[in-house]
Amino acid sequence: FLTMCTRHFGSVVAQTIRTQKTDHFPLFLIIMGKRSSNEVLNVIQGNTTVDELMMRLMAAMEIFSAQQQEDIKDEVRAGHNCGTPSKFGERAFPDKIGDSTFSNVL
């Protein structure tokens, strides 16, 4: 199992699982891709309440959304993909000033 986690998510994720006590299993890991690596945002243990689970999931979603917006801004600032689709499926710069794509990126 740890070999598969290392292969798919990287050694950081596998090490996070390895350090958990087995009496805390099952585990629910929230993993976010950050640039070329993966980062464990949260480890939710099997004895977590539903309310706490939802709270942690919503917090992870907020972190992900903030990081995604920052990545978009970085890509626009860098001027990558001028007029061509970016990795976010939108053009980094519009063809015309009134182009609604531009307001979606920022």
Side-chain angles (χ1 to χ4, degrees), residues 14-21:
Q15 183 61 30
T16 300
I17 296 170
R18 189 178 290 116
T19 60
Q20 298 294 315
K21 295 180 182 178

Side-chain angles (χ1 to χ4, degrees), residues 3-75:
T3 303
M4 181 185 71
C5 286
T6 302
R7 186 178 319 123
H8 292 286
F9 301 112
S11 60
V12 173
V13 174
Q15 183 61 30
T16 300
I17 296 170
R18 189 178 290 116
T19 60
Q20 298 294 315
K21 295 180 182 178
T22 55
D23 59 336
H24 293 154
F25 283 29
L27 299 175
F28 182 49
L29 274 66
I30 301 175
I31 302 167
M32 181 174 79
K34 191 169 188 175
R35 307 272 188 255
S36 62
S37 64
N38 291 313
E39 171 183 327
V40 178
L41 288 182
N42 212 323
V43 177
I44 302 171
Q45 299 171 351
N47 60 354
T48 302
T49 66
V50 175
D51 289 339
E52 188 177 352
L53 172 66
M54 287 304 297
M55 196 169 60
R56 289 183 176 195
L57 287 172
M58 290 179 356
M61 191 63 200
E62 288 175 14
I63 292 169
F64 172 77
S65 295
Q67 182 61 51
Q68 186 178 39
Q69 290 301 313
E70 190 61 36
D71 290 347
I72 290 169
K73 287 178 185 176
D74 288 347
E75 185 173 328

Side-chain angles (χ1 to χ4, degrees), residues 72-93:
I72 290 169
K73 287 178 185 176
D74 288 347
E75 185 173 328
V76 170
R77 273 189 228 116
H80 293 175
N81 300 321
C82 292
T84 61
S86 71
K87 68 180 180 179
F88 301 103
E90 300 168 338
R91 286 172 288 151
F93 293 101

